[in-house]
Amino acid sequence: MHDDHDLVKLVGKLDLRAKVRLLSGGSVWRTAAEPSIGLRALTFSDGPAGVRGPGWDERRTSLALPSPTALGATWDEDLVRRLGALLADESRRKGVDVLLAPVLNLHRTPYGGRHFECFAEDPLLTARLGVAYVSGVQSGGVAAAPKHFVANETETDRLTHDVQVDDRTLRELYLAPFEAVVEAGAWAVMSAYNGVNGHPMSENPLLTDVLKDEWGFDGLVVSDWGAVRTTVASAASGQDLSMPGPWGPWGDLLVAAVEAGEVAESAIDDKVFRLLRLAARVGALEGQGDIEGGSAPEDVAGGEEFAPAEGLLPEAASGLALLREAVSASTVLLRNNGILPLHPGRTIALIGAGAATPRVQGGGSSGLYPAAENSLLDALRTRAEVVHAPGVRIDDQPTPVRAPVQVRVLGANDEELFREHRLTGRILETEEVPGAEVLEISTTLHVTETGPWRLAVAGYGRLTLDVDGTRVLDEVQPVDTDDPAVKHLRPPHHAVEVQLTEGTAELVARRELGEDSGMASLLAADPPRPDAEQEFGAAVEAASRSDVAIVVVSTTDAIEGEGRDRSTLALPGEQDALVTAVCLANPNAIVVVNSGGPVLLPWREDTAAVLLTWFPGQEGGNGLADVLFGTGEPGGRLPTTWPARETDVPVANFLPEDQKLGYGEGLDIGYRAWAAHDVEPAYWFGHGLGYTTWDYLDAKAERGVVRVRLRNTGRRRGREVVQVYLSREESAVRRPLRWLGGFARVEAEPGETVETTVEISAQATRHWAGEWVTESGGFTVHIGPDAGTTRIRLAARHVLRPR
Ligand code: BGC
């Protein structure tokens, strides 16, 4: 292992040009290698809900974890740490050195498009789970890169908007989780696209003043993809690495800026030093002998030649068991009239398109390709007599063809430059070939049904579609965004309805590639739609004929996703009407909500039970079936408050105006804001029932801890998350009405009394007044099962200062 002294010597061996070359990516997912000092390229991959690996290719599969909101709902640091270690295994399998995760931004409002990628609305819960995640990943020798530093809570104009936030709010809410992971030893941090108080985060003084100087962060600051847009301002800031590359505003321009004295060479040296330190930590820096002038070992010559281990090892089978455990640990039981867990032997009407084709992941840059995923329909069929009826269709995106497709890259005069077979009509990356002018996707479509099929193509540039040799679509889609999540992942589509006859049809889609026209191309086909009224009626009919009706309701990719925020919290399509009709048809109606973040549940009081399954990852079906039949406990507790009505949402200003977004609500977000506005949400932060009941017996506060005794008063073993909120009625500063001070999980047998010790985090008793201050005197302690319910209240005088 290299010490700092060795690293300084290595930096000293490189001339300015060689050093600057290392500070922009070598490609989209890798840094540049420098064999002369034994440095191989570092490989990055997106998380946070799995490790896609470098590049987008459906043939390279990954384990799909539950979405971070689901991990937030576990309130379980041990589980999250184990999942982090699993991610490290996955990273190594795929040759990944740095996992771009976890996301530590907060659920400032339920409208945030990437809400599903963040843990919670509370900074303490986010910090504790973030630390667990980072330590799990790094325990496997893989760097975590917590992101997006900082205040990246809105997706609208995400590349350019500037967040206006006061110091105290920034410190106590948005910086707090980052401070915790830095203290826990994160090896990298990703700076955000947005600005804070007038400076884009890729050149913001917070990188140096707070992150590096004050907190002593000794790792690497990697930019968000394409976030570095200046030469001097960003290079003179604490931004260390500009990704991707080798293009971008550093390179030659930065060499010139250093030569002109606009950026100090010492700043460049520090960035390279940090890059080498990261490389040493993940094992990408070899050849100690080089310092004395030896040559780099062959296997670290690196660059694009570096061969990842991917493909050699299959996904770990033990990983699937852990993913299944995580599903029940994160499933939140919002209400239950006693119908759950289900008794065996009852007939089930399983309703909703999402019961057969669930949304197991949120997508955007976190998207990956699971080798297999199970639906609730698959999982229930093995346990009960099930009838499935979709009821309503909500898919708002065309379905990529799933038959094998042929992809060809064509040059001038349609000369074939490259050809390969792929498994889907959604092609995000293929071979980069010089002289490429057209990307062609073709397939033989199995026309299962005669009727009007909806065929679609997507991508930037000129798009054509031929069916059996006849042109049916010819459109030009101009590039209308810089956002990589749109340009490279989800470009606009053009659709056409074509009458097809049962049998086969030859489809050929072509996209003319222009400069800067993005990576993504799509060929999609959807069969004729059944009559909507008939489908709806059939589902309600099925519900009325079964003992139990389970309705799965979902959001769609258009509603929750990267690069855009939500315009409504209502479920799309006719799903609310479907649930209402099913509840009328069958009193035993259970609703399963398959969404990454809050949606409105206007019918909730009419149901027998409501469960939230989030985006549950590839083991979603099995994990949810465990919960429904009681082999698993619904262990989840809400990591964010769920509103009853949109008009009640206390923090709803999520849209920048003139590129400015004011966080004027200050410290009052989430449950703190609901309490301040004195509005009752549908379900408070922390809420979740489990399958047993608890009596909170008594509690005492001591130095730094609160001890709580509680008894399992139900009939089965269960798990409770004991939550301690603090308040302070007399204070030199304005404070939220209450805020989370600590939490602990307890498990107990029926009738058993247990004592749990809730540590009160130092983070919870201090406030920012230009420096951290902990007021002397007491806090009031509110102990309960959620942010809106106090079971025991204590006046804790002088007792909560950390030990
Ligand atoms: C996202 C990041 C992601 C990066 C690389 C960006 O658009 O904001 O979270 O890590 O792309 O995919």
Side-chain angles (χ1 to χ4, degrees):
M1 186 68 186
H2 301 71
D3 61 22
D4 286 1
H5 185 66
D6 298 335
L7 299 179
V8 169
K9 277 193 176 167
L10 289 181
V11 176
K13 297 182 93 187
L14 302 175
D15 64 18
L16 177 62
R17 193 160 285 280
K19 287 186 284 195
V20 167
R21 194 178 69 87
L22 294 179
L23 300 180
S24 293
S27 64
V28 176
W29 300 109
R30 295 198 169 100
T31 58
E34 183 51 66
S36 73
I37 55 168
L39 173 69
R40 68 160 167 79
L42 294 177
T43 300
F44 293 74
S45 165
D46 272 309
V51 184
R52 184 177 61 250
W56 293 85
D57 189 325
E58 70 288 350
R59 294 164 298 187
R60 300 192 191 144
T61 57
S62 311
L63 288 177
L65 275 67
S67 58
T69 32
L71 304 189
T74 66
W75 294 61
D76 186 340
E77 292 149 290
D78 174 60
L79 178 61
V80 171
R81 195 172 294 111
R82 286 187 286 136
L83 288 164
L86 178 68
L87 290 171
D89 289 348
E90 281 281 276
S91 298
R92 282 199 308 273
R93 180 172 74 84
K94 290 177 160 273
V96 167
D97 301 297
V98 183
L99 184 64
L100 303 171
V103 180
L104 299 182
N105 304 118
L106 301 183
H107 297 159
R108 175 174 168 265
T109 96
Y111 292 95
R114 286 181 89 173
H115 195 287
F116 69 91
E117 271 197 73
C118 315
F119 291 123
E121 68 186 15
D122 179 81
L124 180 68
L125 180 58
T126 302
R128 284 180 49 175
L129 296 178
V131 166
Y133 189 113
V134 169
S135 59
V137 170
Q138 294 191 171
S139 69
V142 172
K147 63 189 186 184
H148 310 83
F149 184 85
V150 61
N152 184 184
E153 277 77 30
T154 276
E155 287 298 277
T156 308
D157 297 334
R158 67 179 178 143
L159 306 187
T160 44
H161 77 249
D162 186 61
V163 169
Q164 320 270 294
V165 55
D166 66 81
D167 267 5
R168 182 168 172 214
T169 304
L170 195 56
R171 292 284 184 155
E172 293 184 29
L173 293 188
Y174 301 101
L175 285 170
F178 287 98
E179 185 175 4
V181 293
V182 167
E183 198 182 316
W187 293 342
V189 162
M190 181 191 282
S191 59
Y193 286 127
N194 57 282
V196 170
N197 295 335
H199 303 276
M201 281 314 304
S202 56
E203 54 192 59
N204 196 294
L206 289 167
L207 295 175
T208 309
D209 299 351
V210 175
L211 177 66
K212 290 183 175 175
D213 291 351
E214 194 183 311
W215 297 349
F217 173 63
D218 70 357
L220 182 89
V221 178
V222 53
S223 71
D224 201 341
W225 262 229
V228 172
R229 271 163 276 152
T230 60
T231 303
V232 174
S234 54
S237 80
Q239 183 67 53
D240 296 319
L241 174 67
S242 169
M243 286 300 286
W247 55 89
W250 285 8
D252 289 346
L253 291 173
L254 182 50
V255 172
V258 175
E259 283 168 351
E262 291 167 326
V263 176
E265 189 158 355
S266 57
I268 303 297
D269 289 351
D270 182 58
K271 297 176 201 303
V272 175
F273 174 83
R274 286 169 179 269
L275 178 79
L276 296 185
R277 181 186 270 151
L278 176 64
R281 284 172 164 164
V282 299
L285 185 61
E286 302 295 344
Q288 186 84 15
D290 291 348
I291 299 167
E292 310 308 331
S295 62
E298 270 170 28
D299 63 344
V300 295
E304 290 305 298
E305 303 82 49
F306 170 64
E310 183 180 356
L312 299 179
L313 300 167
E315 288 95 331
S318 58
L320 292 180
L322 182 56
L323 298 189
R324 186 166 175 167
E325 177 188 340
V327 176
S328 46
S330 58
T331 299
V332 181
L333 180 60
L334 288 182
R335 56 182 268 117
N336 185 12
N337 70 358
I339 190 164
L340 292 177
L342 287 173
H343 297 299
R346 301 171 103 182
T347 57
I348 298 176
L350 183 57
I351 293 164
T357 47
R359 274 196 87 189
V360 302
Q361 53 174 332
S365 62
S366 68
L368 42 79
Y369 304 96
E373 50 189 61
N374 46 64
S375 67
L376 187 56
L377 180 59
D378 302 330
L380 287 191
R381 270 192 179 137
T382 60
R383 306 192 195 214
E385 194 186 317
V386 181
V387 184
H388 176 238
V392 299
R393 310 246 163 205
I394 51 158
D395 28 325
D396 49 19
Q397 294 298 307
T399 313
V401 291
R402 291 211 186 92
V405 305
Q406 175 175 266
V407 172
R408 296 200 306 151
V409 179
L410 308 175
N413 304 319
D414 279 359
E415 181 202 353
E416 182 178 301
L417 304 176
F418 176 76
R419 165 206 293 249
E420 65 175 340
H421 286 96
R422 298 288 290 264
L423 308 173
T424 166
R426 183 172 182 241
I427 302 297
L428 299 182
E429 269 180 27
T430 181
E431 188 82 0
E432 274 184 42
V433 196
E437 292 194 0
V438 170
L439 190 129
E440 182 191 276
I441 309 174
S442 57
T443 193
T444 303
L445 180 72
H446 291 279
V447 183
T448 45
E449 210 179 311
T450 298
W453 282 65
R454 200 174 141 85
L455 307 178
V457 288
Y460 288 104
R462 180 174 169 214
L463 303 163
T464 60
L465 175 63
D466 295 345
V467 179
D468 291 330
T470 303
R471 179 129 315 169
V472 295
L473 186 148
D474 190 341
E475 299 274 354
V476 175
Q477 176 58 54
V479 181
D480 55 2
T481 180
D482 284 340
D483 192 323
V486 182
K487 200 154 133 188
H488 302 304
L489 301 181
R490 200 173 159 277
H493 66 267
H494 295 268
V496 59
E497 217 169 72
V498 179
Q499 183 71 24
L500 298 179
T501 314
E502 201 175 318
T504 58
E506 297 302 322
L507 308 186
V508 182
R510 289 163 62 102
R511 179 164 81 93
E512 286 181 10
L513 306 171
E515 199 177 309
D516 208 28
S517 63
M519 307 192 302
S521 306
L522 173 82
L523 170 59
D526 285 285
R529 291 207 161 196
D531 178 76
E533 253 177 60
Q534 258 176 28
E535 275 207 311
F536 192 101
V540 178
E541 167 75 17
S544 67
R545 275 188 280 106
S546 302
D547 297 333
V548 174
I550 302 177
V551 193
V552 179
V553 293
S554 318
T555 57
T556 61
D557 191 48
I559 286 182
E560 287 188 275
E562 184 171 336
R564 57 200 176 277
D565 292 300
R566 292 171 67 180
S567 57
T568 170
L569 303 180
L571 284 166
E574 298 301 308
Q575 296 184 99
D576 286 338
L578 179 67
V579 175
T580 304
V582 169
C583 290
L584 282 172
N586 190 326
N588 294 330
I590 300 163
V591 180
V592 172
V593 184
N594 177 197
S595 73
V599 292
L600 301 178
L601 313 171
W603 28 257
R604 60 190 186 283
E605 305 290 341
D606 305 326
T607 63
V610 180
L611 284 163
L612 309 184
T613 184
W614 312 103
F615 297 142
Q618 70 185 84
E619 279 297 306
N622 288 333
L624 187 57
D626 291 343
V627 169
L628 287 168
F629 283 96
T631 45
E633 162 88 3
R637 301 293 183 268
L638 288 179
T640 202
T641 306
W642 278 46
R645 279 170 300 272
E646 262 179 83
T647 44
D648 294 346
V649 172
V651 182
N653 68 324
F654 61 95
L655 292 176
E657 281 175 30
D658 292 335
Q659 300 295 340
K660 298 213 180 321
L661 180 58
Y663 282 17
E665 69 287 345
L667 299 174
D668 285 338
I669 66 167
Y671 61 90
R672 304 157 178 231
W674 286 90
H677 287 238
D678 201 15
V679 196
E680 196 63 22
Y683 300 103
W684 283 100
F685 172 80
H687 174 72
L689 295 175
Y691 283 151
T692 187
T693 47
W694 301 87
D695 253 2
Y696 282 64
L697 301 173
D698 48 45
K700 40 180 201 284
E702 290 165 9
R703 208 170 167 76
V705 297
V706 176
R707 292 186 209 286
V708 186
R709 279 194 330 125
L710 61 170
R711 194 161 71 89
N712 179 348
T713 51
R715 281 201 296 270
R716 46 180 281 162
R717 184 180 171 80
R719 169 196 179 206
E720 177 76 329
V721 178
V722 177
Q723 300 159 41
V724 173
Y725 296 86
L726 304 181
S727 68
R728 192 173 156 110
E729 290 65 35
E730 279 170 31
S731 170
V733 288
R734 204 205 142 263
R735 291 173 178 272
L737 284 180
R738 53 179 174 269
W739 65 94
L740 187 68
F743 59 91
R745 284 175 315 117
V746 321
E747 296 204 5
E749 297 295 337
E752 191 188 357
T753 295
V754 283
E755 184 181 271
T756 182
T757 302
V758 182
E759 300 235 1
I760 301 304
S761 141
Q763 183 185 329
T765 51
R766 63 185 194 176
H767 68 268
W768 182 259
E771 58 180 338
W772 288 114
V773 177
T774 302
E775 281 188 297
S776 59
F779 290 85
T780 305
V781 174
H782 312 255
I783 303 157
D786 65 53
T789 313
T790 299
R791 292 277 164 75
I792 301 174
R793 194 164 176 278
L794 294 176
R797 298 214 63 82
H798 306 287
V799 288
L800 283 180
R801 275 167 175 278
R803 284 177 289 191

